[in-house]
Structures are given as C-alpha cells and as structure tokens.
Amino acid sequence: MNTRIPPLWLLVFLQTVVSAASLVVEIVAGRMLAPYVGMSLYTWTAVIAVVLAGFSVGHWWGGLMASKPQETALRQTGWVLIAAALSTGLAVVVLQGIANPVMSAISHPLGAIIALCTGAFFLPSLFAGVPAPVLAQIGASTAPDSGRALGALFAAGAIGAIAGTLLAGFVFISYLGSTLTLALVALVYVAMALLSFWLAGRLPRAALLASIISLAFAGYALATPSPCDTESKYFCIRSIDVSETKDDPIRMMVLDHLVHGTSSANDPTLMYTDHSAMLDALAELRAPRQNFSSFFIGGGSFSMPRAIAAREDHGPITVAEVDPEVTNIAVRDFWFDPASSQVLHVDARVALARDPARYDIIIGDAFTDIAVPQHLITQEFFELVRERLTPEGSYLMNVVDYEDNLQTLGAMLRTLETVFPVLEVWVEQRQPVKGERMVFIIAAGNAATPESSFITRAPDPARFGALSDTMVASLKARDSLILTDDFAPIDRLMGLRAD
C-alpha cells in the first residue's frame, strides 16, 4: 500500500484531537495530585511547568522525525501515539506507586510536587508533543499554500487545547472521574495512532498488538482502587470511620489531602478540632441574642451548622458550600439534616453579594489546601461581610499559620482593621511547638467578647484564650501589607513547609 497524501483537513483533525487529549491530561494531572499534595498555586505551577517541559522535548523530537520521509515520519508518529496511550493509561498506577516513596524521600513540598508530577505526567506530555512538527512539515510540503497550511495546523493545536481544557474541567472529571478520563484519552491516542499508520500506507500487526496492550493497561488502571470515595468538580472526597465503638459512630471528612471536619452521630454539639470548638463557643459568646442568625462560608462536614441546629431556639442557618457533592456526603455520612439549614451551592462571596440579608454571626471556614481562598481574605470581601452583619454582629474567621512565621495572620489583621473597629485573636492556651502549624480564630466586630478565655471540648476539655492587645499589635506591625482583590499573595505568605 502506498503512502497517502493526506488532505489538509485530515491533518488539522489529527492535530486538533491530539492537542485536545494532551490538555485533558494536563487538567486531570492537577486533580490527581490533589489527594497527595493538595490543590494550590504551587501544584498548578508544577503541573503546567512539567507538561510544558514534556511538550518541548516532544516538539524537538518531532522536529527530528519531520525531516524523514513522509511514510517513515507518519509511521513513527503512530508508534509515538501508542506510547502516549500507554503512558497516559498507566499514569494513575505510576502516581499511586511512586507517591509514598517520593514523599518519604523528599521532605520539601515543592520538590515532592515536582517529582510526583514529573514521574506520572512528563512522558504522556512528551509523546503528545511529537506529532505537531511532523504534521506541520507534511502540511507545508503537500498543501498548495504552505503558509495557509501552517496557520491552519497551529490554529488547530490552539483550538484543540481550548476544547480539551473545557471538556476536562466542565465535563470529563465531573462525570467520568480522573481514571476513566485518562482511559478515554488513551483510547483517543490509539485511534489517532491507527490513523497515522493508515496515512503511512500500512498498519503493522505489531502496532495493532501494541494498541491492544496499551488499552489493556488502561483497563487495568481502571481496576485499581481510587484514593477518593467520591470525585467531585472540586474535591477528592473521603469519609473515614474513626469510631472507637460501633455504638458511637464518628466519621472524618477528608477533602483532597486534608481533614475538613469530624462528626459524631450521637452528640452533634461535640467538636473534634480546635478551630470548630473555638468557632462554636465564640459564636455563642458573641451572639447578640439566643436565636441568632448565622451564615457559614464553607460547609465541609457541616459539623457546626449541625451543632447549632441541635440546640433549642436556634435562629436561621445559611451555609454557602460551593460543592454540592460535599453537601450530599455530609447528609449521607455525617448525619446533617438539610432541612435544618438553607444551603447555597455557590461561592460564599457571590452568595453574600447577591442577597442583602444581614446576619448576627458570619463564620469564615473555607480552605483551599491549608490557606483561605484568595478572594475571601481581601479588604473588599471584608467590607462586604461588614455590610451583611447586623450592628451587633460578629465575623469569626479560621486562620492557619506557622508558629515561626505568622505573616498570614498579621496580614489578615492589618486588612481587617481597615474594616472593623475591634479585633481579637483566639488560640488554645498552651505553649506551641516550634514551627507548629497553628489554628487561630479572628473575631471581628464592633465590641469585644465578654470573656477573655473559656474551656470547651475539642473533643477533650481545653482552654482557649484571646491574645493580648500587645501581641495583636505586634502581629499587625510586622509589615504594612493590606490584602486586596488586586494583590493577596496568600501562598507566598504561608510558604512551603513539610508537615
């Protein structure tokens, strides 16, 4: 069979599909790394850098192949696409296999992120980068107008990348999950490999066998256990039973790689973490009335809304939880009654901006990795919060920072003091461990808390207290950064730590 002279439209089609598939893998890479290293600016930076590095090496290799006769270049492209299918289908297995050794050997988080991403996703990106120069060379040499052909192929690559990004983010991960999405990409690569062999003039039996093997490995990856119980648009969600006895069920919710709430079936008012214990107690202490109204920024396991709803004469409860699947899991596994609260499945900032209702207590407890999302820590957002509080209302905010840093806490306080006249910082009253990741609650409003300390269960009795005015002033005096919508470098302030 002779080598076919491919029409430009067929080259454009092949380039579009390969480009789309490669960007699907890039988006899935970030989702798959989240259960191990979280989802942060650093994670996405590493993913993009590693994928672009793979594309770059692939383009260089493809340029070498493009200088060969058309039949040879197309045949080699077919083999490369089979390799892309194999490496993509096995990416989940590779990631699961190297995760523990890499994270044990590399203590620095950024190094671990880059190593994991490189180990699992460099080769799929490299192989996906090879076809573009080959197709461009063939198009330029066979089309009547080489400039038009090159323009069409470059545009096809960009259009495919856009399509792949949108499909992965809005469709595939949400409806198929990461592993099945990668298996689908492997199937697409095999189809494009067979098309390349067909254009080259013949389909070797070895290529057909290799295609079947690569798909078999993708099927094997589908059978491997997922680190997620549920994979939503936003999180890898797990419910972990931590009960000591069957008579007292207790469950822990893990979003990506961090615990976001723990609840007891028998005692909804019992808090299991320092931050939830402080938030719950401070809400009661600072509320202007017994049946106070409350608005929660983030739901998680819905432990706090559930605790408030369990008390007599509670006021209206509103929860803004961006991920509907988190709410579903809270109902299914964490004994949350959705009839007890109004749940809004939108971003909290959007919810507050849309509705002018005022609340006695607004509680900020939303996190991306260990940092509060950037748009929820700015001066503009805090001004919106103040507008949504009653005159006697309070804003309570969960902040995580390191004992030997506290830059994040200081920046939050400096920003909040431009909006609220009274600020307090609450923490467990004990000597911190050097370098410890600590949990603080900032209380903001028009008046001070009537108590300077309290004891509550977290789950064992613990004493929490407010930092002195001198300590708060020293935190605010560290530098003059005010967090705004234009500039809120929360990832830099938190820094990278091995925890």
Side-chain angles (χ1 to χ4, degrees):
M1 187 180 294
N2 296 325
T3 304
R4 296 170 174 80
I5 299 177
L8 180 60
W9 71 266
L10 192 54
L11 296 176
V12 166
F13 170 76
L14 204 162
Q15 175 60 25
T16 302
V17 173
V18 171
S19 181
S22 68
L23 264 292
V24 169
V25 174
E26 179 176 355
I27 300 301
V28 170
R31 176 68 268 150
M32 289 181 62
L33 286 170
Y36 305 99
V37 294
M39 185 68 69
S40 68
L41 174 65
Y42 299 111
T43 307
W44 279 114
T45 300
V47 168
I48 294 170
V50 168
V51 169
L52 288 178
F55 287 165
S56 298
V57 176
H59 291 335
W60 173 80
W61 184 13
L64 297 178
M65 289 169 48
S67 62
K68 298 178 180 179
Q70 178 179 314
E71 178 183 352
T72 302
L74 284 170
R75 187 172 63 253
Q76 290 181 351
T77 298
W79 283 110
V80 166
L81 286 172
I82 290 176
L86 180 62
S87 58
T88 298
L90 282 175
V92 61
V93 178
V94 171
L95 181 59
Q96 291 178 0
I98 67 174
N100 287 334
V102 165
M103 295 181 72
S104 299
I106 304 176
S107 60
H108 196 279
L110 185 55
I113 292 170
I114 293 173
L116 289 176
C117 189
T118 302
F121 297 103
F122 178 78
L123 285 179
S125 301
L126 185 156
F127 295 133
V130 170
V134 175
L135 299 177
Q137 171 65 19
I138 295 173
S141 61
T142 59
D145 187 339
S146 60
R148 174 175 171 270
L150 286 174
L153 285 163
F154 276 106
I159 292 170
I162 294 169
T165 301
L166 294 176
L167 286 170
F170 295 153
V171 180
F172 292 153
I173 294 176
S174 301
Y175 291 96
L176 302 180
S178 298
T179 305
L180 184 55
T181 296
L182 291 184
L184 177 63
V185 170
L187 178 62
V188 169
Y189 280 145
V190 165
M192 295 303 101
L194 297 179
L195 176 59
S196 298
F197 283 117
W198 180 77
L199 291 173
R202 72 186 174 89
L203 174 60
R205 290 184 179 179
L208 187 59
L209 178 61
S211 298
I212 294 172
I213 291 173
S214 66
L215 293 178
F217 275 115
Y220 169 75
L222 282 173
T224 60
S226 171
C228 315
D229 294 339
T230 302
E231 188 173 11
S232 72
K233 298 177 183 178
Y234 299 93
F235 300 110
C236 169
I237 308 172
R238 286 176 288 163
S239 297
I240 301 176
D241 191 330
V242 292
S243 310
E244 294 185 0
T245 66
K246 293 182 179 180
D247 296 332
D248 184 20
I250 302 171
R251 293 184 187 136
M252 176 189 299
M253 177 182 282
V254 178
L255 303 182
D256 291 338
H257 70 141
L258 293 175
V259 176
H260 280 250
T262 304
S263 290
S264 164
N266 298 333
D267 189 354
T269 64
L270 176 58
M271 299 294 111
Y272 284 86
T273 60
D274 286 355
H275 81 271
S276 60
M278 284 189 283
L279 287 171
D280 185 53
L282 285 168
E284 292 285 327
L285 285 171
R286 295 181 63 91
R289 57 189 61 84
Q290 183 175 355
N291 59 339
F292 63 90
S293 58
S294 56
F295 182 97
F296 288 85
I297 300 170
S301 62
F302 284 73
S303 300
M304 279 200 60
R306 181 169 170 253
I308 292 177
R311 298 185 176 109
E312 294 182 4
D313 299 325
H314 69 83
I317 303 168
T318 303
V319 184
E321 169 52 61
V322 70
D323 190 347
E325 198 57 42
V326 168
T327 303
N328 293 338
I329 300 299
V331 173
R332 187 191 73 189
D333 295 344
F334 293 86
W335 310 282
F336 171 65
D337 179 6
S340 66
S341 307
Q342 180 187 18
V343 181
L344 308 174
H345 290 130
V346 295
D347 180 86
R349 184 162 176 172
V350 173
L352 288 172
R354 285 177 178 173
D355 190 347
R358 290 177 174 251
Y359 304 90
D360 295 315
I361 299 290
I362 295 179
I363 294 176
D365 190 24
F367 280 82
T368 300
D369 203 61
I370 62 171
V372 183
Q374 179 176 320
H375 67 294
L376 301 180
I377 59 171
T378 66
Q379 186 179 48
E380 292 86 348
F381 175 68
F382 294 148
E383 289 171 348
L384 174 61
V385 169
R386 181 192 60 195
E387 293 172 3
R388 296 297 179 261
L389 285 171
T390 59
E392 305 86 7
S394 297
Y395 176 51
L396 305 176
M397 181 181 184
N398 183 11
V399 178
V400 175
D401 206 347
Y402 291 93
E403 176 272 341
D404 57 354
N405 184 3
L406 301 183
Q407 285 185 293
T408 299
L409 181 60
M412 301 277 194
L413 291 169
R414 284 187 295 276
T415 306
L416 280 161
E417 73 173 347
T418 67
V419 179
F420 293 96
V422 177
L423 296 178
E424 297 171 348
V425 179
W426 290 77
V427 68
E428 185 181 358
Q429 290 187 323
R430 61 174 175 81
Q431 184 66 34
V433 178
K434 184 173 176 56
E436 177 186 359
R437 188 171 71 196
M438 300 181 66
V439 175
F440 302 90
I441 301 299
I442 299 178
N446 293 322
T449 306
E451 306 276 349
S452 60
S453 68
F454 56 82
I455 297 175
T456 190
R457 297 179 299 167
D460 296 321
R463 179 175 289 278
F464 301 93
L467 297 182
S468 67
D469 292 341
T470 302
M471 182 62 180
V472 173
S474 70
L475 289 170
K476 292 188 291 186
R478 294 196 172 196
D479 62 58
S480 58
L481 177 63
I482 302 295
L483 303 172
T484 66
D485 285 349
D486 180 61
F487 185 58
I490 184 64
D491 293 279
R492 174 175 63 79
L493 292 173
M494 286 294 300
L496 284 167
R497 301 291 185 99
D499 293 317

